[in-house]
Coordinates of all heavy atoms in Angstrom, one line a residue:
L657 N 39.7 -18.2 -139.2 CA 40.2 -19.5 -138.8 C 39.1 -20.4 -138.3 O 38.2 -19.9 -137.6 CB 41.2 -19.4 -137.7 CG 42.6 -18.7 -137.9 CD1 43.4 -18.6 -136.7 CD2 43.4 -19.5 -139.0
T658 N 39.1 -21.6 -138.7 CA 38.0 -22.5 -138.3 C 38.5 -24.0 -138.5 O 39.3 -24.3 -139.3 CB 36.7 -22.3 -139.0 OG1 35.7 -23.2 -138.6 CG2 36.9 -22.4 -140.5
D659 N 37.9 -24.9 -137.6 CA 38.1 -26.3 -137.9 C 36.7 -26.9 -138.4 O 36.6 -28.1 -138.5 CB 38.6 -27.1 -136.7 CG 37.5 -27.1 -135.5 OD1 36.5 -26.4 -135.6 OD2 37.8 -27.8 -134.5
H660 N 35.8 -26.0 -138.7 CA 34.4 -26.4 -139.2 C 33.6 -27.3 -138.3 O 32.6 -27.9 -138.7 CB 34.6 -27.0 -140.6 CG 35.4 -26.3 -141.5 ND1 35.1 -25.1 -142.0 CD2 36.6 -26.6 -142.1 CE1 36.0 -24.7 -142.9 NE2 37.0 -25.6 -142.9
K661 N 34.1 -27.4 -137.0 CA 33.4 -28.3 -136.1 C 33.3 -27.7 -134.7 O 32.2 -27.8 -134.0 CB 34.1 -29.6 -136.1 CG 33.5 -30.7 -135.2 CD 34.2 -32.0 -135.3 CE 33.6 -33.1 -134.4 NZ 34.3 -34.4 -134.4
N662 N 34.4 -27.2 -134.1 CA 34.5 -26.8 -132.7 C 34.6 -25.3 -132.5 O 34.3 -24.9 -131.4 CB 35.7 -27.5 -132.1 CG 35.6 -29.0 -132.1 OD1 34.7 -29.6 -131.4 ND2 36.4 -29.7 -132.9
F663 N 35.2 -24.6 -133.5 CA 35.4 -23.2 -133.2 C 35.4 -22.4 -134.5 O 35.7 -23.0 -135.6 CB 36.7 -22.9 -132.4 CG 37.9 -23.0 -133.3 CD1 38.4 -21.8 -133.9 CD2 38.6 -24.2 -133.5 CE1 39.6 -21.9 -134.7 CE2 39.7 -24.2 -134.3 CZ 40.2 -23.1 -134.9
I664 N 35.1 -21.1 -134.4 CA 35.2 -20.2 -135.5 C 35.8 -18.9 -135.0 O 35.4 -18.4 -133.9 CB 33.8 -19.8 -136.1 CG1 33.1 -21.1 -136.7 CG2 33.9 -18.7 -137.2 CD1 31.6 -20.8 -137.0
L665 N 36.9 -18.5 -135.6 CA 37.6 -17.2 -135.2 C 37.5 -16.3 -136.3 O 38.0 -16.6 -137.4 CB 39.0 -17.5 -134.7 CG 39.8 -16.3 -134.2 CD1 40.9 -16.8 -133.2 CD2 40.5 -15.5 -135.3
C666 N 37.1 -15.0 -136.1 CA 36.9 -14.1 -137.2 C 37.3 -12.7 -136.7 O 36.8 -12.2 -135.7 CB 35.5 -14.1 -137.8 SG 35.3 -13.0 -139.2
Y667 N 38.3 -12.1 -137.3 CA 38.8 -10.7 -137.0 C 38.6 -9.9 -138.2 O 39.3 -10.0 -139.2 CB 40.3 -10.8 -136.6 CG 40.9 -9.5 -136.1 CD1 40.1 -8.5 -135.7 CD2 42.2 -9.4 -136.1 CE1 40.7 -7.3 -135.2 CE2 42.9 -8.2 -135.7 CZ 42.1 -7.2 -135.2 OH 42.6 -6.0 -134.7
S668 N 37.6 -9.0 -138.2 CA 37.2 -8.2 -139.4 C 38.3 -7.2 -139.7 O 39.0 -7.3 -140.7 CB 35.9 -7.5 -139.2 OG 35.9 -6.7 -138.0
T669 N 38.5 -6.2 -138.8 CA 39.5 -5.2 -139.0 C 39.6 -4.4 -137.7 O 38.7 -4.3 -136.9 CB 39.1 -4.3 -140.1 OG1 40.2 -3.3 -140.3 CG2 37.8 -3.5 -139.8
P670 N 40.8 -3.9 -137.4 CA 40.9 -3.0 -136.2 C 40.0 -1.8 -136.4 O 39.9 -1.3 -137.6 CB 42.4 -2.6 -136.2 CG 43.1 -3.6 -137.1 CD 42.1 -4.0 -138.1
P671 N 39.4 -1.2 -135.4 CA 39.6 -1.5 -134.0 C 38.6 -2.5 -133.4 O 38.4 -2.5 -132.2 CB 39.5 -0.1 -133.3 CG 38.4 0.5 -134.2 CD 38.6 0.0 -135.6
F672 N 37.9 -3.2 -134.3 CA 36.8 -4.0 -133.9 C 37.3 -5.3 -133.2 O 38.4 -5.7 -133.4 CB 35.9 -4.4 -135.0 CG 35.2 -3.3 -135.7 CD1 35.6 -2.8 -136.9 CD2 34.2 -2.6 -135.0 CE1 35.0 -1.7 -137.5 CE2 33.6 -1.5 -135.6 CZ 34.0 -1.0 -136.8
P673 N 36.5 -5.9 -132.3 CA 37.0 -7.1 -131.5 C 37.1 -8.3 -132.4 O 36.4 -8.4 -133.5 CB 35.9 -7.2 -130.4 CG 34.7 -6.6 -131.0 CD 35.2 -5.4 -131.8
V674 N 37.8 -9.3 -132.0 CA 37.9 -10.6 -132.6 C 36.7 -11.4 -132.1 O 36.4 -11.4 -130.8 CB 39.2 -11.3 -132.2 CG1 39.2 -12.8 -132.8 CG2 40.4 -10.6 -132.7
W675 N 35.9 -12.0 -132.9 CA 34.8 -12.9 -132.5 C 35.3 -14.3 -132.5 O 35.9 -14.8 -133.5 CB 33.6 -12.7 -133.5 CG 32.8 -11.5 -133.3 CD1 33.1 -10.2 -133.7 CD2 31.6 -11.4 -132.5 NE1 32.2 -9.3 -133.3 CE2 31.2 -10.0 -132.6 CE3 30.8 -12.3 -131.8 CZ2 30.1 -9.5 -131.9 CZ3 29.7 -11.8 -131.1 CH2 29.3 -10.4 -131.2
I676 N 35.1 -15.0 -131.4 CA 35.4 -16.4 -131.3 C 34.2 -17.2 -130.8 O 33.8 -17.1 -129.7 CB 36.6 -16.7 -130.4 CG1 37.8 -15.8 -130.8 CG2 37.0 -18.2 -130.4 CD1 39.0 -15.9 -129.8
W677 N 33.7 -18.0 -131.7 CA 32.6 -18.9 -131.4 C 33.2 -20.3 -131.0 O 34.1 -20.8 -131.7 CB 31.6 -19.1 -132.5 CG 30.5 -20.1 -132.2 CD1 29.3 -19.9 -131.6 CD2 30.6 -21.5 -132.5 NE1 28.6 -21.1 -131.4 CE2 29.4 -22.1 -132.0 CE3 31.5 -22.3 -133.1 CZ2 29.1 -23.4 -132.1 CZ3 31.2 -23.7 -133.2 CH2 30.0 -24.2 -132.7
T678 N 32.7 -20.9 -130.0 CA 33.1 -22.2 -129.6 C 31.9 -23.1 -129.2 O 30.9 -22.6 -128.8 CB 34.1 -22.2 -128.4 OG1 33.4 -21.4 -127.3 CG2 35.4 -21.6 -128.7
V679 N 32.0 -24.4 -129.4 CA 31.0 -25.3 -129.0 C 30.8 -25.3 -127.5 O 31.8 -25.0 -126.8 CB 31.2 -26.8 -129.5 CG1 31.2 -26.8 -131.0 CG2 32.6 -27.3 -129.0
D680 N 29.7 -25.7 -127.0 CA 29.5 -25.8 -125.6 C 30.3 -27.0 -125.1 O 30.5 -28.0 -125.8 CB 28.1 -26.0 -125.2 CG 27.2 -24.8 -125.6 OD1 27.8 -23.7 -125.6 OD2 26.0 -25.0 -125.8
D681 N 30.9 -26.9 -123.9 CA 31.7 -28.0 -123.3 C 32.9 -28.3 -124.2 O 33.2 -29.5 -124.5 CB 30.9 -29.2 -123.1 CG 29.7 -29.0 -122.1 OD1 29.9 -28.3 -121.1 OD2 28.6 -29.5 -122.4
I682 N 33.5 -27.3 -124.7 CA 34.7 -27.4 -125.6 C 35.8 -28.2 -124.9 O 36.1 -28.0 -123.8 CB 35.1 -26.0 -126.1 CG1 36.2 -26.1 -127.1 CG2 35.5 -25.1 -124.9 CD1 36.6 -24.8 -127.7
D683 N 36.5 -29.1 -125.7 CA 37.6 -29.8 -125.2 C 38.8 -28.9 -124.9 O 39.0 -27.9 -125.6 CB 38.0 -30.9 -126.3 CG 37.0 -32.0 -126.4 OD1 36.1 -32.1 -125.5 OD2 37.1 -32.7 -127.5
E684 N 39.6 -29.4 -123.9 CA 40.8 -28.6 -123.6 C 41.8 -28.5 -124.7 O 42.4 -27.5 -124.9 CB 41.4 -29.2 -122.3 CG 40.7 -29.0 -121.0 CD 40.5 -27.6 -120.6 OE1 41.5 -26.8 -120.7 OE2 39.4 -27.2 -120.3
D685 N 41.8 -29.6 -125.5 CA 42.8 -29.6 -126.6 C 42.4 -28.5 -127.6 O 43.3 -27.9 -128.2 CB 42.8 -31.0 -127.3 CG 43.5 -32.0 -126.5 OD1 44.2 -31.6 -125.5 OD2 43.3 -33.2 -126.8

């Protein structure tokens, strides 16, 4: 999942963790 600007979410496969990258000072929305 991504909006190509503020965040990237990637879940490879269980049992590995979900990686979530976010911009610094990310908006509450």
